[in-house]
Amino acid sequence: MKLIVKVFPEITIKSRPVRMRFIRQLAKNIRAVLRDLDPAVVVNGVWDNLELETRVSDPKLLKEMTERLSCMPGIAHFLQVDEYPLGDFDDILAKCMLHYGDALAGKIFSVRCKRAGKHPFSSMDVESYVGSQLRRQCGAAGISLKEPQIEVRIEIRDQRLFVIHSQHDSIGGYPLGSLEQTLVLMSGGFDSTVAAYQIMRRGLMSHFCFFNLGGRAHELGVMEVAHFIWKKYGSSQRVLFVSVPFEEVLGEILGKVDNSHMGVILKRMMLRAASNIADRLQIDALVTGEAISQVSSQTLPNLSVIDCVTEKLVLRPLIASHKQDIIDQANEIGTADFARHMPEYCGVISVNPKTAAKRGRVEHEEKAFDMAVLERAIENARLVPIDRVIDELGQDIQIEEVGEALAGQIIIDIRHPDEAEDDPLDVAGIEVQTMPFYAVNARFKELDSTRQYLLYCDKGVMSRLHAHHLLSEGHANVRVYRPS
């Protein structure tokens, strides 16, 4: 299979050195993302696009390649093509007949030709000749440039002809690794996940920082959604997941800070900690999912008071976004279900939160706060490569596993819906239910408590993690299914 990868249009207006650097980085990223599917994949760069060749023929692997390229920053769209040496107009017609001839009978069509290089003819010359001959020889109903039922698409590059079969859109933006690094503050909800996506799409390599306010289930949920975003949109680069234990910091705030200032001061403590971690990682910018006045701590006066604790640039890609627009984009990128099922945690609840906190008053309230508590939280932060975060989380968890399901037991397939749909689990004589891992914590309590449930996933890691959490919540009727 051959693909022509069209780069994001903004890349093409850069200076020559920047443009070439971006295209080289994109080619490197494509090889990294597809290497496990085809170790011999070939990606060659030219001035305004890349050409990708693979000898993989398995439809399942080709579909996976297409899905990965459709989620890669830096790509506007890509074309599946067949390549031929450029001949005369009759030869071009023959190649178009070969691929489109049978489909044109009784249909209204158009011919689209793009051309690069020096030729004694124009693109319109090709379109006119090929279109008239296809109509005559294939029994087409007519030609319409505005509303064709079928588009015959070709590209001519120097002495090569490409007949285009299909076009797949991607997400645009700049290639990851071509710009600076950021540290994204992640809560796992709609806002922070969409903010992370938007920053990654713009080409900024993003590490993830989570402040654990006391919930093991919440930490697991954020790890899962961070891993999902990285795997789908950023796996060409290795980044870190940072988990900062903030329970003691929260306790200090609850015990020593005036109720109306708790939210602002908690955000200030998070920015202080994130700035310290960013310094350690040599990162100059922080990213949050805040939007103007969505909650009390996100008014302009409060954001100003929050930001003054750090010299880092704080990026807020959603600052002027409406909540529904954020939710809509979360649905588009695949994080909405995670957000809807994100476990709750005990946060800071102010009865009458300040919407216009004064810096002097906030600093006065912070004088009672023991900064050694914040320093301990930073020292105890765990930094784990994002590609190993789920595996490492499940290493020390001992859960009973069974290799064979018994009559009356129910297997719950907790894989992502896409995986479960592509490769359904079928066990003879045993009921199998699907319940995505991000919904297990919320929905398991709705099941019949008198039945025995076996959690299943491909590697057994996610199933162990969620079984462990359910057991800790008092559900004794859960095990892990690991078929031999």
Side-chain angles (χ1 to χ4, degrees):
M1 182 177 73
K2 188 179 187 73
L3 299 177
I4 296 179
V5 178
K6 302 290 186 176
V7 302
F8 182 52
E10 288 184 26
I11 295 175
T12 65
I13 63 174
K14 301 296 182 185
S15 66
R16 183 180 181 88
V18 173
R19 182 171 178 170
M20 296 307 295
R21 175 167 61 85
F22 279 22
I23 290 176
R24 283 196 299 269
Q25 184 66 55
L26 180 57
K28 181 180 178 181
N29 292 354
I30 292 173
R31 293 187 198 102
V33 168
L34 300 184
R35 188 179 297 125
D36 63 319
L37 301 177
D38 179 8
V41 66
V42 175
V43 184
N44 294 313
V46 294
W47 182 238
D48 57 353
N49 54 242
L50 295 166
E51 294 180 13
L52 182 156
E53 291 187 69
T54 176
R55 295 186 178 181
V56 168
S57 57
D58 184 337
K60 188 174 181 180
L61 293 180
L62 292 175
K63 180 183 177 184
E64 178 65 21
M65 283 186 175
T66 300
E67 290 176 352
R68 292 186 187 183
L69 292 173
S70 297
C71 297
M72 180 170 288
I75 300 177
H77 61 267
F78 53 98
L79 310 170
Q80 184 178 345
V81 303
D82 274 312
E83 179 183 349
Y84 302 98
L86 179 63
D88 58 18
F89 279 16
D90 286 329
D91 187 66
I92 295 173
L93 172 63
K95 300 302 187 296
C96 292
M97 289 273 289
L98 177 65
H99 294 284
Y100 286 97
D102 293 340
L104 294 179
K107 299 295 178 65
I108 297 174
F109 74 102
S110 66
V111 177
R112 308 288 187 185
C113 175
K114 288 188 177 181
R115 187 178 57 85
K118 294 183 178 181
H119 305 95
F121 54 82
S122 69
S123 298
M124 290 184 64
D125 292 336
V126 177
E127 292 171 351
S128 177
Y129 183 82
V130 172
S132 63
Q133 294 300 315
L134 286 177
R135 181 180 184 182
R136 183 178 306 143
Q137 298 183 37
C138 297
I143 296 174
S144 172
L145 299 181
K146 291 185 177 180
E147 296 182 349
Q149 294 173 285
I150 297 175
E151 278 193 352
V152 177
R153 299 179 61 190
I154 58 178
E155 286 199 12
I156 296 172
R157 291 186 167 273
D158 297 317
Q159 296 305 306
R160 296 186 297 165
L161 169 69
F162 299 103
V163 180
I164 300 168
H165 295 292
S166 59
Q167 174 174 319
H168 305 272
D169 292 332
S170 191
I171 63 175
Y174 295 140
L176 283 175
S178 61
L179 299 178
E180 294 76 20
Q181 301 185 51
T182 64
L183 185 65
V184 181
L185 278 61
M186 287 283 290
S187 68
F190 292 102
D191 302 342
S192 62
T193 55
V194 172
Y197 164 77
Q198 290 194 2
I199 286 294
M200 292 168 67
R201 182 178 60 174
R202 197 61 183 170
L204 294 159
M205 197 163 77
S206 300
H207 304 268
F208 304 95
C209 184
F210 167 64
F211 294 95
N212 193 345
L213 298 176
R216 166 73 171 181
H218 189 210
E219 180 182 39
L220 173 57
V222 177
M223 285 180 169
E224 289 171 343
V225 71
H227 185 271
F228 172 85
I229 295 172
W230 167 79
K231 186 69 176 176
K232 188 167 185 178
Y233 301 105
S235 61
S236 63
Q237 307 293 323
R238 294 194 72 194
V239 298
L240 296 172
F241 182 90
V242 183
S243 183
V244 187
F246 239 52
E247 301 98 323
E248 194 179 0
V249 173
L250 177 58
E252 187 78 0
I253 290 173
L254 290 171
K256 296 183 179 178
V257 172
D258 173 72
N259 185 283
S260 63
H261 289 84
M262 287 180 176
V264 169
I265 290 177
L266 176 63
K267 292 289 186 68
R268 282 164 63 93
M269 295 300 170
M270 288 178 173
L271 273 197
R272 286 186 174 105
S275 297
N276 185 291
I277 293 165
D279 280 338
R280 202 186 313 175
L281 299 174
Q282 299 183 320
I283 294 173
D284 294 326
L286 308 177
V287 178
T288 77
E290 290 156 323
I292 287 292
S293 295
Q294 191 177 111
V295 296
S296 61
S297 64
Q298 296 176 17
T299 62
L300 283 179
N302 285 356
L303 291 175
S304 177
V305 172
I306 291 168
D307 283 2
C308 65
V309 302
T310 180
E311 294 182 355
K312 299 287 184 187
L313 175 64
V314 181
L315 302 175
R316 295 184 170 94
L318 309 183
I319 195 66
S321 299
H322 300 310
K323 187 66 176 184
Q324 189 57 52
D325 293 338
I326 297 171
I327 293 173
D328 289 345
Q329 185 159 40
N331 278 306
E332 291 173 10
I333 66 176
T335 61
D337 284 331
F338 289 90
R340 291 189 187 97
H341 294 95
M342 192 61 60
E344 296 292 336
Y345 62 93
C346 181
V348 174
I349 303 174
S350 297
V351 177
N352 294 301
K354 288 287 184 183
T355 57
K358 304 298 183 184
R359 181 172 177 177
R361 174 63 189 277
V362 170
E363 291 175 346
H364 173 76
E365 289 291 332
E366 285 184 343
K367 287 180 180 178
F369 187 95
D370 183 1
M371 286 296 177
V373 173
L374 180 64
E375 292 171 4
R376 276 197 298 275
I378 295 171
E379 289 173 3
N380 292 326
R382 293 189 302 113
L383 286 74
V384 182
I386 190 68
D387 55 323
R388 298 208 305 265
V389 68
I390 302 296
D391 291 339
E392 291 200 5
L393 193 63
Q395 275 183 354
D396 300 325
I397 293 179
Q398 302 301 318
I399 296 292
E400 182 181 346
E401 297 183 357
V402 300
E404 183 178 352
L406 303 178
Q409 293 180 328
I410 298 174
I411 297 175
I412 299 180
D413 185 347
I414 69 168
R415 292 176 296 170
H416 191 278
D418 291 345
E419 295 178 69
E421 183 178 346
D422 289 343
D423 186 19
L425 179 65
D426 184 16
V427 181
I430 301 296
E431 180 182 351
V432 177
Q433 298 182 10
T434 57
M435 184 183 296
F437 58 88
Y438 48 72
V440 170
N441 292 330
R443 289 170 49 188
F444 191 85
K445 60 180 177 289
E446 301 170 3
L447 300 178
D448 184 351
S449 60
T450 65
R451 304 291 297 273
Q452 289 289 321
Y453 298 95
L454 308 177
L455 303 191
Y456 169 78
C457 68
D458 285 335
K459 295 182 178 180
V461 176
M462 301 291 281
S463 51
R464 285 204 309 275
L465 287 169
H466 284 281
H468 180 266
H469 175 70
L470 292 172
L471 287 168
S472 68
E473 292 287 303
H475 300 285
N477 58 335
V478 60
R479 301 291 184 270
V480 169
Y481 176 59
R482 292 288 289 158
S484 52

